[in-house]
Amino acid sequence: MKSKFRFVYQQLADEIRTSRYEPGSLLPSEHELTDRFQVSRETIRKALKLLSEHGYIQKVQGKGSVVLDFARLEFPFSGVMSFQELNEKLALSALTDVIRFEQQPASSTAATRLDLTEGDPVWAVERVRTIEGERVILDQELFSVAVIPKLTREICEKSIYAYIEGTLGLTISFAKKEIVVEEATPTDQAHLDLHGATHVVVVRSYTYLDDATLFQYTASRHRPDKFRFVDFARRVLQ
Amino acid sequence: MKSKFRFVYQQLADEIRTSRYEPGSLLPSEHELTDRFQVSRETIRKALKLLSEHGYIQKVQGKGSVVLDFARLEFPFSGVMSFQELNEKLALSALTDVIRFEQQPASSTAATRLDLTEGDPVWAVERVRTIEGERVILDQELFSVAVIPKLTREICEKSIYAYIEGTLGLTISFAKKEIVVEEATPTDQAHLDLHGATHVVVVRSYTYLDDATLFQYTASRHRPDKFRFVDFARRVLQ
DNA sequence: AAGTGGTCTAGACCACCTC
DNA sequence: AGGTGGTCTAGACCACTTG
């Protein structure tokens, strides 16, 4: 564990997940936690801030930190989760089929999406995800060659994220996503088991690295009945 | 403005929005901002944390705070936004039609959803949202009478959120949401202009107050082509 | 009045990036 | 080496809730 506040966060998160604190009850006060973990109050507060951002608790001034019902939604916080990670989490039997893999100069739309100049080299990848025997997701992805100089079909068959974070030592940091429903294209119909569905759910995402570099654009096309998105949203006051 | 760090946040956010800082460039260092705003470094850091959580900047250790491309997605952060707020933002001509309004004892499913005991009184409200002449959203809502003792049809026609936050003086704090696609029900078909759409996008949300009280459950049923959801997601490391 | 969280400070040391 | 952000501390005062 790197930092003290992350340790405290982990500890308390585990205790909440394993129901050592009842939903609706209060966590020990910041002062008590200071005693228990032998760290300063600001450090405890950083841990509690994380817990609250991830939907474990809600802080109420003058009262304390209320433990939330963690089970109400399965994944109480949304994140930048790769297909692989999602699979491990759900323990599903999944397969990835690479149906397109090439390097090419960026078209004008591709350049816009990756914040590049037209003609800059990009990787164009299309992958079909088969879950429990059915082809349900079509991922159409663009990667900047400037960020990922080398890429192989084999890497695409496993996990590009694992390659980027493991082998290349880069850190994926955040993503901006948009979710809409669109008519199924002939490509969708060719590569997905749509079972008569006329539309697909499209998740477009722009993924950024640690150093704020935009390196990936993805359109993830889901069969509607196999799509589910969970979000934990704090109110934003302007 | 209440606090110093919120003031600094507002100031910098405004300057980023009005392009006083180029996307990709660096914000002044924390030390320089300390000088400029005459506050401590921790206060500056709280403001920068907010900016980063809202998608304005990305902090890079050893380098600085990189200004992000704010325009890439229209609403770079998701929040708990009411229908009214969304309308004002989009300046759409919208109408609300209350098709159901009653107080009743909670059924067992209603009780589960609002974390109440079966038989506890709840408000059951159904509202149809008409945007630009078309009925595109059906909201099915449950409110706890314990939290909202008085409610009228008139309030439902305007904005329940405005009533709760304005008249009742309560503060809406956060929501847990789930998005799925479901077959259109006869109710959907009766009240929405589906134009042949066979499915609807369903956003289920549990809304909480400031004091961690769960007070609202909503199933918001959207005509697919009029649905759009934008999310800004930081990577969650476990 | 006592306890809780919310804000703010000044100073320290560390890890990382760039020159 | 110097600048940047990341972490941590001890102490202070304020605002809110509860008895």
Side-chain angles (χ1 to χ4, degrees):
Chain A
M1 189 58 52
K2 304 165 197 176
S3 48
K4 294 190 188 179
F5 79 88
R6 260 181 264 271
F7 174 79
V8 174
Y9 163 76
Q10 279 290 351
Q11 202 67 26
L12 294 174
D14 285 348
E15 293 177 8
I16 292 173
R17 267 202 304 270
T18 57
S19 304
R20 275 202 31 198
Y21 298 106
E22 286 293 303
S25 70
L26 293 176
L27 234 47
S29 74
E30 296 180 352
H31 181 68
E32 286 171 305
L33 291 172
T34 291
D35 271 3
R36 171 176 163 196
F37 289 102
Q38 291 297 306
V39 296
S40 75
R41 185 169 160 231
E42 282 295 337
T43 302
I44 293 292
R45 283 176 60 73
K46 275 185 193 168
L48 295 182
K49 181 110 196 296
L50 262 189
L51 286 171
S52 117
E53 281 168 0
H54 293 174
Y56 286 92
I57 64 168
Q58 164 80 354
K59 302 186 84 176
V60 185
Q61 190 168 18
K63 279 184 68 179
S65 301
V66 181
V67 177
L68 297 180
D69 187 356
F70 199 80
R72 190 163 294 278
L73 284 180
E74 251 169 86
F75 304 129
F77 46 91
S78 64
V80 185
M81 206 176 268
S82 77
F83 180 72
Q84 289 289 334
E85 291 173 305
L86 210 65
N87 274 329
E88 285 160 25
K89 204 127 193 162
L90 300 175
L92 296 174
S93 65
L95 279 169
T96 300
D97 193 16
V98 179
I99 60 172
R100 182 180 178 204
F101 173 75
E102 48 186 325
Q103 194 185 119
Q104 56 183 42
S107 67
S108 77
T109 59
T112 310
R113 280 177 169 152
L114 281 179
D115 209 6
L116 299 172
T117 308
E118 200 172 330
D120 284 351
V122 296
W123 296 105
V125 179
E126 286 189 27
R127 303 190 281 182
V128 175
R129 318 292 201 161
T130 302
I131 301 179
E132 293 173 328
E134 293 196 301
R135 300 174 298 164
V136 292
I137 306 174
L138 170 61
D139 282 342
Q140 303 175 319
E141 307 176 274
L142 293 172
F143 297 90
S144 164
V145 171
V147 180
I148 306 170
K150 226 188 118 212
L151 194 62
T152 66
R153 205 181 191 94
E154 289 65 43
I155 293 168
C156 294
E157 275 161 5
K158 291 174 196 163
S159 170
I160 298 181
Y161 271 35
Y163 170 69
I164 289 168
E165 300 218 284
T167 314
L168 296 184
L170 303 172
T171 306
I172 293 157
S173 172
F174 65 95
K176 295 183 176 185
K177 299 183 184 186
E178 176 195 49
I179 303 174
V180 293
V181 177
E182 293 181 0
E183 251 183 86
T185 63
T187 312
D188 296 331
Q189 279 160 4
H191 296 290
L192 297 179
D193 298 316
L194 286 178
H195 290 346
T198 54
H199 290 70
V200 292
V201 180
V202 184
V203 181
R204 282 181 228 285
S205 43
Y206 299 88
T207 316
Y208 292 74
L209 295 177
D210 226 10
D211 62 355
T213 321
L214 173 61
F215 84 102
Q216 177 190 26
Y217 166 77
T218 303
S220 201
R221 308 176 71 86
H222 300 245
R223 195 174 87 192
D225 62 315
K226 289 293 181 185
F227 174 80
R228 179 165 181 265
F229 183 84
V230 179
D231 187 52
F232 174 74
R234 307 221 135 250
R235 185 177 189 73
V236 177
L237 296 170
Q238 285 292 48
Chain B
M1 190 58 50
K2 304 163 195 177
S3 48
K4 293 190 188 177
F5 78 89
R6 259 181 264 272
F7 174 79
V8 174
Y9 163 77
Q10 280 291 353
Q11 202 67 25
L12 293 175
D14 285 348
E15 293 177 8
I16 292 173
R17 266 201 305 270
T18 57
S19 303
R20 276 206 24 203
Y21 297 106
E22 286 293 304
S25 70
L26 292 175
L27 234 48
S29 75
E30 296 181 351
H31 180 69
E32 286 171 305
L33 291 172
T34 291
D35 272 3
R36 171 176 163 196
F37 289 103
Q38 289 297 308
V39 297
S40 75
R41 183 167 162 234
E42 282 296 338
T43 302
I44 293 292
R45 283 177 60 73
K46 274 186 194 168
L48 295 182
K49 180 110 196 298
L50 262 189
L51 286 171
S52 119
E53 281 167 1
H54 292 175
Y56 286 92
I57 63 170
Q58 165 80 353
K59 302 186 83 175
V60 185
Q61 190 168 19
K63 279 185 66 179
S65 301
V66 182
V67 178
L68 297 179
D69 186 356
F70 199 74
R72 191 163 292 278
L73 284 179
E74 248 171 89
F75 306 129
F77 45 90
S78 65
V80 185
M81 205 177 268
S82 77
F83 179 74
Q84 288 290 336
E85 291 172 303
L86 210 64
N87 274 328
E88 286 161 24
K89 204 127 194 163
L90 300 175
L92 296 175
S93 64
L95 278 170
T96 300
D97 193 16
V98 179
I99 60 173
R100 184 180 176 203
F101 174 75
E102 49 186 322
Q103 193 184 118
Q104 57 182 43
S107 65
S108 76
T109 59
T112 310
R113 281 175 167 154
L114 282 178
D115 208 6
L116 299 171
T117 308
E118 199 174 330
D120 284 352
V122 295
W123 297 105
V125 178
E126 285 189 27
R127 301 190 281 182
V128 175
R129 317 293 202 161
T130 302
I131 301 177
E132 293 172 329
E134 293 195 300
R135 300 173 299 165
V136 290
I137 306 173
L138 170 61
D139 282 341
Q140 302 175 317
E141 307 176 274
L142 293 172
F143 297 90
S144 164
V145 171
V147 180
I148 306 169
K150 227 188 119 211
L151 193 64
T152 66
R153 203 178 191 95
E154 288 66 43
I155 293 167
C156 294
E157 277 162 3
K158 290 175 200 164
S159 169
I160 298 182
Y161 270 34
Y163 170 69
I164 289 169
E165 298 218 285
T167 313
L168 295 184
L170 303 172
T171 306
I172 292 158
S173 172
F174 65 96
K176 296 184 176 185
K177 298 183 185 184
E178 176 195 47
I179 302 175
V180 291
V181 176
E182 293 181 1
E183 252 183 82
T185 62
T187 312
D188 295 332
Q189 280 160 3
H191 293 110
L192 297 179
D193 298 316
L194 287 179
H195 289 346
T198 54
H199 290 72
V200 293
V201 181
V202 184
V203 182
R204 282 181 228 287
S205 45
Y206 299 88
T207 316
Y208 293 75
L209 295 177
D210 225 12
D211 61 356
T213 319
L214 174 61
F215 85 100
Q216 176 190 27
Y217 166 80
T218 303
S220 200
R221 308 176 71 86
H222 300 244
R223 193 173 88 191
D225 62 311
K226 287 296 183 185
F227 174 79
R228 179 164 181 266
F229 183 83
V230 179
D231 188 50
F232 173 74
R234 308 224 132 246
R235 186 174 187 75
V236 177
L237 294 172
Q238 283 291 48

